Amino acid sequence: MDGERIQVAFFEGVAADHPIAVLALYNKEKDVNIFDKTLGQEVQQAVDLIQKREPALVVVCSRHAASFCHGADIKAQAALPLASTAARPMVEEIKDLLNQIENLPYPTVCCINATCLGGGLELALSCTYRFADVTCRAIGLPEVQLGILPGAGGCVRLPRLIGLTPALELIVAGKTVKAKKAQSLKLVHGTLEHLTWARDASEPPFLAQLRNKLQRGQLRHVPAASKFPSHLFGQTWLEQQLIYTVTKRTIDAKTHRHFIAPYVALETVLKCWGTSSLAQALAWETDGYLQLAATAEARSLMGLFLAKSSIKARSTAIRHGQPDTRPLFAFVVGAGWMGVGIGQKLARHGATVRFFDVDKEMIDRAQTRVSRLFTGLVNKHRMSKVEAQERMEAISYTTEKDFAAFEQQAQAAGAISVVLEAIPEDMALKHKLIHEVMSATKNTTFVSNTSSIPMAKLCEGLPVAEQARIVGVHYFHPEHDVTPVVEIIPGPESNHESRLSALRIADLSNKLPVTVGDGPAFILNRIASPFYTMAAYLLVTGAASQERIDKVMQRQGFPAGPFAILDGIGLKTARMVGQSIQGLTGETGANAAQALLGAMLDRGWTGRSFQGESTGFYAWKEGKQGEANPEMKAVSQIVRSRLAAEEDAQHGQGVLHSKRVNPISDADVSDALILSILNEACRALDEGVAKEPMDVDMLVTAGLGFPPQQALAVLLAAVLPLACHLWAKL
Ligand SMILES: NC(=O)c1ccc[n+]([C@@H]2O[C@H](COP(=O)([O-])OP(=O)(O)OC[C@H]3O[C@@H](n4cnc5c(N)ncnc54)[C@H](O)[C@@H]3O)[C@@H](O)[C@H]2O)c1
């Protein structure tokens, strides 16, 4: 059989008339296997075909080197009807298929050669034996990360196979394990080598070993009922209560109760565990799955997953389907907070980096910080000492703007050459630098990390040939992998090479490149700006303290509130970016955030600093957040009086004139801030700066920490009732 997703072949067995049947997953359209509808249908055909030949052994394997099976088709799951009555038959069909495999009257062996997730592992669990390739790095059931639970037997078979506690660790956290760990968990029976059936090989390379095992009686038919060990911890009511309490506490600590899926998964696994009937357990699992699949959380998380794939596909299209493996030479200008973070990240992943700064002291500090960052990676076993040393040797520091020499070195190495600027948010400074780079180089791409200045503004006055070499790559926090995205901003004339350079920078920084339209502050900062302004307004008017506002937003699922984020950006940079956005959008009038930041900077406060102690909205020590700054109340009052006086002078008695507004409720704080984000997101979409809602979703969740379980697409559906609710209060 040679289907679209599956190939079936028969090979010599041990006894005549009883061949070995090999069912190989092989998606002809992709380089990974996905458990989609076609695969399900073809597995069914394969099972029917195999049974006619009465094989001695059935082997399930993959012909894709990097994928046994990456799991279910998320697009199809996201499109499942919300009503469980309509969705149930589809789920039951897959379960029925896996039951048929489990009940085949021959031994079945699953050869997990590479990534084996979700539905892929559930297929493996229905086999009698599992072997994993020693190189396999990801085996698991990550469904909760999509707001659902394993719905094709994973919640039932995995605990029965490896025990309740280890199974819950995998299911509830959506964790994946490597081959060796899978073996120690008894999830696989052993590890073998070369478990991929390469496309050109006529017989699977591992078949001889399996034939041998079969001959020695090591692969026998085991009926489903006796397939699972019966001595596992968790048999008594007390043991189950203990496991429940400990697991729930772990989920509480990890998710702060912002997600439903881990809790439903926990309860479902325990419920299924409590019955000896496999059929009953599988039915309960279906109930749990359907309950979750209909939640906003699942729709939102699946939407984000699909958005990520579509955004990746866009980059692939720009590269005409070809991977770009060229080396990168990056001349980083401005060795401050962002420059060093970005440069070190690029160097870590193989780029050759040179740092320049006008301030010699910043260069010395850069060397110390880079060395500290690499030592941190070595200490966390994310890099060997030798590797760290090698990567540090690829970094140089200079006080000369030797752009021409750098370009020549890059050319000699066949590398992409870029000058990446991370100097202050000052248009004149950036323009001057662009002129210097353009006159010294011919092919180098100028990459700006500006937070707010449109590429069209940076290109003003330049010949088209030079504009072609300018592109924006806007990072958020490069250092700590907390923001897995960057904004890519093509300028009005950016050429293909500039776009490729921007994508290569994103690759080497391990970030998802979201291409956005050109405009003041692009997408993320544009949306973040009213968020900060609204937060500052609430603080200045006395509606809520900075600490309460941050806590309310954290309770909503944000990892940090607006004031902790502003401290993290650095008060000076936050102010410059805010001023730049105001200038670019022509916004006039009182801006509480600007006034507040100005007053704080006047007092010498800087926000978070990674060395020593510093002050912002909070106290900071070695980069760690401490108590809320008690002086903020007095500073806010001073700012309020000043803004009120300005407002009065401009418009007569303004809103701020009243002495102090009454504190507002937590719910109103949250509504005001979330609505400020939604409002600006709608405007960005309307103006075409954001091309599709998925771009906004991806950026606000990954960049601003907007709760992913209520991503914008879902919130937009909720925006009208929310707006009406607020309207009613006014
Ligand atoms: N801080 C953030 O969170 C953040 C996030 C995204 C983007 N950005 C953007 O990155 C850029 C840099 O921000 P930052 O926070 O790293 O600032 P920073 O003040 O930490 O660093 C700027 C560095 O540039 C140096 N510099 C000043 N003029 C220079 C010149 N003419 N040539 C070379 N070096 C010069 C300074 O000495 C300083 O070391 C800004 O455009 C900012 O908007 C910042």
Side-chain angles (χ1 to χ4, degrees), residues 333-338 356-359 362 422-425 429-430 449-451 474-476 569 573 577:
V333 182
W337 165 234
M338 293 305 286
F356 167 84
D357 200 288
V358 276
D359 184 346
M362 292 308 286
I423 60 174
E425 194 74 345
L429 267 187
K430 297 201 194 247
N449 178 46
T450 172
S451 304
H474 179 218
Y475 282 79
F476 309 111
I569 293 170
T573 300
V577 173

Side-chain angles (χ1 to χ4, degrees), residues 83-294:
S84 67
T85 39
R88 188 176 290 274
M90 297 178 217
V91 183
E92 284 176 347
E93 202 175 310
I94 299 171
K95 281 196 149 110
D96 178 52
L97 180 60
L98 298 187
N99 282 345
Q100 287 181 50
I101 294 177
E102 186 164 57
N103 292 319
L104 283 173
Y106 338 101
T108 45
V109 174
C110 186
C111 294
I112 303 170
N113 63 320
T115 302
C116 176
L117 302 175
L121 181 54
E122 288 174 308
L123 168 63
L125 288 171
S126 67
C127 295
T128 333
Y129 301 94
R130 283 156 298 285
F131 294 98
D133 195 295
V134 275
T135 59
C136 178
R137 298 180 63 81
I139 303 175
L141 297 171
E143 282 85 347
V144 285
Q145 290 176 9
L146 296 173
I148 48 177
L149 53 74
C155 292
V156 179
R157 293 192 176 98
L158 188 66
R160 281 163 162 75
L161 195 69
I162 67 171
L164 194 51
T165 307
L168 279 171
E169 276 170 20
L170 291 187
I171 294 170
V172 163
K175 221 168 78 177
T176 58
V177 292
K178 294 181 188 165
K180 281 276 170 215
K181 177 75 182 167
Q183 187 178 9
S184 71
L185 286 173
K186 296 199 167 49
L187 170 52
V188 298
H189 293 80
T191 52
L192 295 173
E193 286 182 7
H194 311 301
L195 282 187
T196 305
W197 181 9
R199 285 182 212 183
D200 44 358
S202 54
E203 178 176 304
F206 47 84
L207 205 61
Q209 280 185 75
L210 294 182
R211 192 179 285 119
N212 204 311
K213 281 181 189 287
L214 182 69
Q215 197 157 25
R216 283 188 282 155
Q218 291 170 351
L219 300 175
R220 277 187 246 144
H221 170 57
V222 182
S226 49
K227 188 172 128 185
F228 304 111
S230 56
H231 51 274
L232 299 167
F233 183 74
Q235 302 298 335
T236 67
W237 178 86
L238 195 64
E239 286 170 355
Q240 286 167 23
Q241 287 305 306
L242 188 68
I243 291 172
Y244 176 80
T245 310
V246 171
T247 312
K248 188 167 168 298
R249 214 174 283 157
T250 311
I251 306 174
D252 287 348
K254 286 216 168 118
T255 68
H256 306 284
R257 302 189 190 179
H258 291 310
F259 294 85
I260 317 162
Y263 295 97
V264 177
L266 167 63
E267 275 155 25
T268 305
V269 168
L270 276 166
K271 191 172 177 186
C272 297
W273 176 261
T275 173
S276 57
S277 157
L278 209 59
Q280 175 63 78
L282 289 169
W284 280 335
E285 182 196 64
T286 305
D287 294 343
Y289 173 83
L290 293 175
Q291 178 195 340
L292 284 178

